[in-house]
Amino acid sequence: MLQEPKDKHSPNTHLSQAIIRFAGDSGDGIQATGAMFSHNSAALGHDISTLPDYPAEIRAPAGTIAGVSSFQLNFSSRRIHTPGDRPDVLVAMNPAAVKAHISSLRPGGTLIVNDDGFDEQALKLAGYDKDPREDGTLDSYHVHRAPVSTMTVESVKALQLAPQQAALCKNMYTLGLVCWLFDRDTDFIEALVEQRFAQESEVLREANCMALRAGYNFAETTEMFSSQCRVETAEQSPGLYRRLSGNTATALGLVAAAQLAQRQLMYCTYPITPASDILHELAKLRHMGVIAGQTEDEIAAMGAAVGAAYGGSLAVTGTSGPGVALKSEAIGLAVMTELPVVIINVQRGGPSTGLPTKTEQSDLLQAMYGRNGECPVVVLAPDSPADCFTMAMEACRLAMKYMTPVFLLSDGYIANGSEPWQVPRVDQLPQFRTNEPVCSETQSQFLPYSRNPETLARPWVVPGTPGTEHRIGGLEKQDGTGHVSQDPLNHEQMVQLREQKIAGIAEDIPELDVFGSSAGRLLVLGWGGTGGAIRAAVEEAQAKGLDVACAQLRYLNPFPKNLAAVLDAFDQVLIPELNRGQLRQLVRAQYLVDAQGLNKVQGQPFHTSEILEKIENLCQQPSEAVA
Amino acid sequence: MLQEPKDKHSPNTHLSQAIIRFAGDSGDGIQATGAMFSHNSAALGHDISTLPDYPAEIRAPAGTIAGVSSFQLNFSSRRIHTPGDRPDVLVAMNPAAVKAHISSLRPGGTLIVNDDGFDEQALKLAGYDKDPREDGTLDSYHVHRAPVSTMTVESVKALQLAPQQAALCKNMYTLGLVCWLFDRDTDFIEALVEQRFAQESEVLREANCMALRAGYNFAETTEMFSSQCRVETAEQSPGLYRRLSGNTATALGLVAAAQLAQRQLMYCTYPITPASDILHELAKLRHMGVIAGQTEDEIAAMGAAVGAAYGGSLAVTGTSGPGVALKSEAIGLAVMTELPVVIINVQRGGPSTGLPTKTEQSDLLQAMYGRNGECPVVVLAPDSPADCFTMAMEACRLAMKYMTPVFLLSDGYIANGSEPWQVPRVDQLPQFRTNEPVCSETQSQFLPYSRNPETLARPWVVPGTPGTEHRIGGLEKQDGTGHVSQDPLNHEQMVQLREQKIAGIAEDIPELDVFGSSAGRLLVLGWGGTGGAIRAAVEEAQAKGLDVACAQLRYLNPFPKNLAAVLDAFDQVLIPELNRGQLRQLVRAQYLVDAQGLNKVQGQPFHTSEILEKIENLCQQPSEAVA
Amino acid sequence: MNQTEPLNIPTYQKEDFASDQTPRWCPGCGDYSILAQLQRVMPAIAEQTQTPRENMVFISGIGCSSRFPYYMNTYGFHSIHGRAPTLALGLQVSRPELMTWVVTGDGDALSIGGNHLMHCLRRNLNVKILLFNNRIYGLTKGQYSPTSELGKRTKSSPLGSVARPLNPLSIALASQATFVARAVDRDPKLLQDVITQAALHKGSAIVEIYQNCNIFNDGAFAHVSERKSRDDNTLKLQHGEPLVFGRQRDKAVVLNEQLQPRVVATSEISESDLLIHDTSRDNSGLTYALSQLQYPEFPVPVGIFRALKAPTYEERVHQQVNEAKRQKPATALQQLLDSGETWRVAE
Amino acid sequence: MNQTEPLNIPTYQKEDFASDQTPRWCPGCGDYSILAQLQRVMPAIAEQTQTPRENMVFISGIGCSSRFPYYMNTYGFHSIHGRAPTLALGLQVSRPELMTWVVTGDGDALSIGGNHLMHCLRRNLNVKILLFNNRIYGLTKGQYSPTSELGKRTKSSPLGSVARPLNPLSIALASQATFVARAVDRDPKLLQDVITQAALHKGSAIVEIYQNCNIFNDGAFAHVSERKSRDDNTLKLQHGEPLVFGRQRDKAVVLNEQLQPRVVATSEISESDLLIHDTSRDNSGLTYALSQLQYPEFPVPVGIFRALKAPTYEERVHQQVNEAKRQKPATALQQLLDSGETWRVAE
Ligand SMILES: Cc1ncc(C[n+]2csc(CCOP(=O)(O)OP(=O)(O)O)c2C)c(N)n1
Ligand SMILES: Cc1ncc(C[n+]2csc(CCOP(=O)(O)OP(=O)(O)O)c2C)c(N)n1
Ligand code: SF4
Ligand code: SF4
Ligand SMILES: [Mg+2]
Ligand SMILES: [Mg+2]
């Protein structure tokens, strides 16, 4: 039933990888189920990658397709990069879940359905005229039916819960089934349940564990599945690991940066999907001195961040695309006043309100150009959930060293997705330099727009410093003094200085790594959250013998300084993006390279297969002669 | 003293062109003086082009350089395109005006100074240690000194005005001097004064005329100037002409469009320099049913425009760069709901508050990309003051025909500058088609997102129409029905449809005109307000025998469909812009052409000579072989 | 575009105002009740105001509450967060014959959209604003809102919110709203009555509706919606009636000369000392004082605080247009183009 | 970063607060007088609050008034239109030891920036807001502002403005501002006094300053600034004093039984019937009623309307931080990273 189906139904098939997707109503606890199974998998030593997907409504109408929530997990003995394209196993709690997800189940895959969810009303709500379990629709899958709801209620009878409450445990029952299927005991998950309900009633805790064990036992006893399978564990370097989502990673990266820079972290924001969780994480850390606050809107959040930066704090604001639109005027102010602010955009489907809970990469050009005037900023993009930690720190480092706003472009996919993260030791994290004025600057005539000759940054002198009282603002500044200046040549010079300051950062960031040989037929160039899918596709293509390499940009402005050379070394360049070609635009304009696009704008991440197909396609075209 | 100084000081030199600049304190009436002399010149049959320039302060400190206001006029017997680079005649009312402007006076040019303005205090304020009239500073000019203030007061003594009021007429006195210098009588200007003071006191009217005549007579009597000169009149096709500034032209274009489309004009805005005058013009037209109103901010202005468009009005909003930043979220809403809104950006120096009264072209990429998501809009840019009329109408036409937001990128230079405009006959203006639903659409199931197969526009069905009640909004829409849809493939399709709709407009706009031969060594490609300077430079270069042509883009998105072919026909492409290369970015990305930039970011328009020099430069480089 | 002929309004049923979309709120959400009551009174409103369904427009921002327009079979616009009043402005000024409603939440109206709300009210734009106040951000899953109590623990304020809540109706009065009212999701009769009066009002009408978010802020308004306590905890405002409340109508709210309110037993004061509610007071001082009454010290006033006749914004605009047209007969377009600094070049 | 040691504040002179930039307002502009009075009282403010000059910050938006910070020899930030309170929020929360001032205009504060103002006040952020109200847009050359009178003819309203003006102090009170005052550019003593009191106040202080724009709206406040009429047209509010005014102090403002204000001759009422001004009232009803008094029907109240003690926003934030630290001893960064869904891979 799984990816290496040597002997399909013999006991204990050993696999290197498996993809499972849980799907059900928003109220069915799908996200929690998925999270627990993921944690369990990681703890067992698998590499994991997850993809939660849920509707924009808080609780969309029960039983409808619009109300289906899902969670996909890829776990493997090898290093994996994505949650996988098509699940090997689909768990569907109701007809709507079948309807919404069956087409992605791998042919020959395993489908586990909750039979109790299939009454007439439910079928109708899902838009089924006939019962799909009976009309042949599911013939190409291994279908396993279980009266999950009934048996769950049965299993916790001893606790005398209200029937509704009892039924809430059905996700744990299913998890029991799945545990058996993958040949793992329920101890770890029971421990998770203990933790989770530690603050709540003992009865609930007990009920969940009972349902879990009941599911496990049912699978064991009834031989519901003809075989078990076991996914090999991955080789991992020793140490402490943590399952980390992108948003949590971002929050941790900010806290780490603040501590390393010895600055107070001020996170000023206004809630918006899918960025709000960064706020929620940071709000928990008051005891670490973190100030995370909600303002009246995104304009105020950006204004407050500018004010906090002016005061000497590590100022960060987080939002998604529509919020960036509102912040753009004040970002311009931060550019003119040359203050360090990190602006996080967890990108979602656009334009306008768009698809708030879906992922997209369509705010790159907004980050680059979404302001009046020549208004350059640094733009970074993490390429996986855990990389959000690294790049959040990097954003802070560059902002404070160069006195500039820095965009961090995350996206819904990596923000909500998770992967194992080897927890770094704090004493091994990079040291931070911020741009405090050297002593001489505070003496005699203080020049707020004097520049560090190396970084071109101006000094970060904050109110409260005696003797350096000065005035800044959004009007063009005179070089050095920072006074208002309408002088034509000064304006030109300042525009160029601001440009050079950002461009010069290319010297301070890592060169672009190429995976595969450093020259050849095809380079797949990606950025940000598509990193996993591209890497997986290129690995597969290389395994097939194709002459292809890939490189993932995490620095978008400025580009790594070897990018020109990297591009030059390949006959063809393919740029897959979850937009209509925004990086491609930048690369073509800057390097005059006829890069091709692979563009998907469906609110969904790339499938490895989509990229692989395109690679195969391009590699099959007759290659042009190269000098 | 002027451009063709055959016999410098003989009476009645005949010239084909002259450039004069008036400069003085903000309170000296410089702008009014310039405007009257311009009108007079135009009425005499010259082609004219003007450049007002004033400080950001309402009334900057008197006597300082920061407080100097100036007005330049180029008038000619030939078709001219710019206000000229360096004046032949400079009128300076005080030392600060000399200090600020003397360096641009053509060597050998004429300087007229108000001697009364040169007391010690004034010299100090202007930063002169020594009197420039006496220390040799002005040796390379023909300096004419007159005690303007004293003589003005003298000349109106009969009227018994308060001395301060009398002194206010000194600009008219100077104008009298200048009239004599250019051999024109004062009748026309006296008539202008009559009009201007028609509502005000007769004494003031009289005083101004007396000062004017006194100046004229003084020049005549004292032989202050050794000669007069006369600029030939231009050949102009018969008809009614009007001196028109860009902002007025824009306002008139909107009014015309509304009438032609039979829609109510709703102009929703928030004041901002240099766009406010469009509001002031439109506010005067309530009697024509125009509704022009001020909202609480730019966000509200854009929101109100969307609401007005939804209601079926021709909705327009006007602002400058910082205001566009604020409007960007709601512009995204207009894209998603596919409603026709014209957004005027009278560009000024940026970033942030920047240089509010200075010109720049640095908001092109903001117009293209300054929103979250894939959010395409139409972008147009008039290339001269009078062209604002044409392009404002065109913006309205495209918005309503294609149901889309349209950006109109004016700039401070053409908005405040003026030129003669042959007033069109209304019955010869183009007819308008708006996208009202055909009858069948309102019947049976109404589909608010059905599309006109030719334009891809959706029907403009407005509240109040029985039977077509429907709901729209910022969430992704289902094709056809317009219902909220999270369907991945539908999203991709809608993103592409919105893109194609805009791209398709290339079929409905004029091809790009090339001035000069349609193929050759160098093409100078410009956009918007640089049109005049580029044209003038290319004319001069061609006159020198250089193989150069030029083309001015007034359609930036989509580009005219022949642009690829035009670019292809030249060995080299030069793109002069008042920014750091924004059009160049677009052209390079789209056509992979190694276009070069000539970039000026000084808050000032191009000088013809700057472009000419670059052209000469490029034409001198050894040309590469072309197939 | 102005409709001047008397219209022939069809007789509508409640169902005529239900769109074909199924509401997507959480089961038990207070929004359902508000939708139901609104749909119920729409036929009467249409008839009384002679407004056909196609002239009704619902504009909303973003939030759970702002999904409202999808469920009304009228024209509807689900706009962007906080900006619904701005769309209403453009629409209503260009089309005064429409009946425009704004549906908004406490975050939408008072956090990101506070300024637009204030300016809408001071303009007295003819628009009916329904503010669903659940004292929480529903759609973004439970952060504190500008009406959340000080100290409120939410996802974004795990240790309690640190800002004092805004009082929507005090702000509305200070912004010179001409119609101000409060209703409760669980009190259908009151809701129907208040909504109907708001619809009949000409000018900016704002109705704060206490709305239970049973997922993120359940029971926020239990004190005014629980049957057993609500009469003791609410003060039903009725024009011309004294400010008396309580299940036995035995308590009264009075103000002393210093305009400081207090609760007294009706038995303790003479009838002539009772304050009589007057919705038509031009001066908003007393009404403002009422809007400041806070539970538990005071009962929560519900019903109509203020209903004042005043010219609407769009009336003023169009009067100006008409007056201008009268004074200065419409300039033909040609004439306009031909004006200004002109000269003629002869043939 | 908190300064805990007692500071040794130098003794400042007026000149110490003047920067090296020459003011660029129009000759005769009311802004000059405000600048002069502020510079005059700064030494005393610094001393009384023990705030050294380097801890003073002036933040402004955009407008003529917003050029103010350039002329003060303190830290200064000329930000963007309407957003000064948001910068103040970030600054003051991260650096509570600073004394942050916001300088703003009627357009800046009430048009584009209305929402930030409202939220700043409800938070009670410790910031002193000087609102220069000239009832016009100065910098953009003369369009009507949100405080322009109905019917005001300006460049953008040649036939008269059509929106009712906002009352800044009523809005401030409805937003729960803890210090509310009004002063006049031409009354230096009042201005000095009010500014000093605002500076001493802990929490959000808003001072509306009537400011003459002699270029675009000359004489807007002649009734309260002309020597001969001003005593008859203003009501000087003084804590503990009766609401009496007039050159002869022969008139009083009182409330009738319906709590509606009216003017009476002092001779007509007994002294005990006089209303005594109390700036410390928690309930804002009466103070709001005072803020509603409009010339010419009533005198214009000037001076301090309200001055109330209440915890500031940043105090609440930092108390929470401190309390959290006490309850949950600071997690080391390593410990934080090591938490969550973890497992260990053995060597
Ligand atoms: C510009 C912008 N910022 C933030 C959001 C996210 N957002 C959507 S609704 C909402 C608040 C909802 O609260 P409320 O207005 O009280 O409505 P409710 O859901 O409680 O009915 C927020 C913050 C957004 N959609 N747009
Ligand atoms: C986003 C933005 N919109 C508009 C402007 C233009 N603008 C500058 S100041 C101002 C209003 C000034 O009025 P007010 O706040 O009353 O200040 P005053 O000049 O009267 O002191 C406006 C509209 C701007 N700078 N930024
Ligand atoms: S989250 Fe709250 S307000 Fe939103 S639909 Fe659910 S119950 Fe209603
Ligand atoms: S325009 Fe008015 S407010 Fe501005 S500086 Fe001049 S007088 Fe003062
Ligand atoms: Mg809410
Ligand atoms: Mg003002």
Side-chain angles (χ1 to χ4, degrees), chain A residues 58, chain C residues 25-26 29-31 64 134 138-139 211-216:
Chain A
I58 296 302
Chain C
W25 293 302
C26 306
C29 176
D31 292 352
C64 295
N134 55 13
L139 191 72
Q211 172 248 325
N212 193 40
C213 167
N214 54 311
I215 301 295
F216 296 113

Side-chain angles (χ1 to χ4, degrees), chain B residues 307-610:
Chain B
Y310 178 58
S313 292
L314 170 51
V316 184
T317 185
T319 187
S320 190
V324 173
L326 290 167
K327 287 177 203 280
S328 53
E329 192 198 6
I331 296 173
L333 180 65
V335 168
M336 184 61 101
T337 53
E338 303 191 37
L339 285 168
V341 182
V342 173
I343 305 134
I344 300 168
N345 178 354
V346 185
Q347 298 166 95
R348 64 190 215 182
S352 195
T353 312
L355 295 172
T357 60
K358 308 296 174 188
T359 198
E360 208 159 284
Q361 293 188 298
S362 52
D363 301 345
L364 172 57
L365 292 175
Q366 181 193 35
M368 289 291 294
Y369 302 122
R371 295 164 295 281
N372 59 300
E374 294 290 349
C375 197
V377 298
V378 177
V379 182
L380 311 180
D383 65 8
S384 78
D387 193 39
C388 290
F389 177 80
T390 312
M391 294 311 276
M393 285 214 303
E394 183 69 345
C396 298
R397 178 183 78 87
L398 294 175
M400 291 188 284
K401 181 167 171 189
Y402 293 91
M403 297 291 285
T404 176
V406 176
F407 259 101
L408 184 70
L409 296 180
S410 175
D411 63 53
Y413 168 62
I414 60 176
N416 290 324
S418 63
E419 65 178 346
W421 177 57
Q422 185 166 16
V423 186
R425 299 297 93 195
V426 169
D427 50 18
Q428 283 155 25
L429 292 175
Q431 281 311 295
F432 266 68
R433 212 183 94 197
T434 63
N435 208 65
E436 270 154 301
V438 290
C439 209
S440 72
E441 284 170 324
T442 63
Q443 274 148 17
S444 76
Q445 201 211 352
F446 170 66
L447 295 176
Y449 276 72
S450 60
R451 288 179 192 281
N452 177 320
E454 189 200 324
T455 60
L456 296 184
R458 73 179 194 88
W460 195 5
V461 168
V462 301
T465 319
T468 53
E469 290 85 353
H470 64 277
R471 274 68 53 192
I472 59 175
L475 287 163
E476 184 59 284
K477 312 249 110 358
Q478 191 176 57
D479 192 22
T481 66
H483 290 154
V484 173
S485 165
Q486 307 211 23
D487 176 30
L489 293 175
N490 175 76
H491 176 47
E492 185 150 76
Q493 183 183 349
M494 294 301 279
V495 166
Q496 288 177 12
L497 271 170
R498 289 187 287 262
E499 185 179 301
Q500 285 159 12
K501 184 172 79 168
I502 303 301
I505 293 174
E507 297 298 326
D508 194 10
I509 59 175
E511 295 206 341
L512 182 63
D513 264 348
V514 176
F515 172 75
S517 63
S518 61
R521 180 151 183 178
L522 177 64
L523 175 75
V524 184
L525 181 69
W527 69 277
T530 55
I534 291 176
R535 173 67 176 261
V538 168
E539 282 182 5
E540 286 193 39
Q542 287 173 345
K544 293 186 175 187
L546 298 180
D547 181 9
V548 57
C550 67
Q552 194 71 5
L553 285 167
R554 295 150 75 227
Y555 295 83
L556 281 313
N557 197 39
F559 283 133
K561 63 179 182 209
N562 65 331
L563 179 54
V566 168
L567 293 169
D568 229 40
F570 291 87
D571 302 349
Q572 280 185 289
V573 177
L574 172 68
I575 303 185
E577 298 176 82
L578 300 176
N579 61 39
R580 297 288 301 158
Q582 303 198 1
L583 171 62
R584 186 156 38 108
Q585 197 338 332
L586 297 175
V587 166
R588 287 171 66 97
Q590 189 153 339
Y591 302 105
L592 294 179
V593 166
D594 191 8
Q596 301 202 40
L598 173 63
N599 301 96
K600 177 175 178 179
V601 198
Q602 302 178 4
Q604 299 291 337
F606 275 116
H607 288 171
T608 304
S609 59
E610 292 163 337

Side-chain angles (χ1 to χ4, degrees), chain D residues 105-107 132 134-138:
Chain D
D106 43 330
F132 294 18
N134 55 12
R135 294 199 174 145
I136 201 80
Y137 284 4

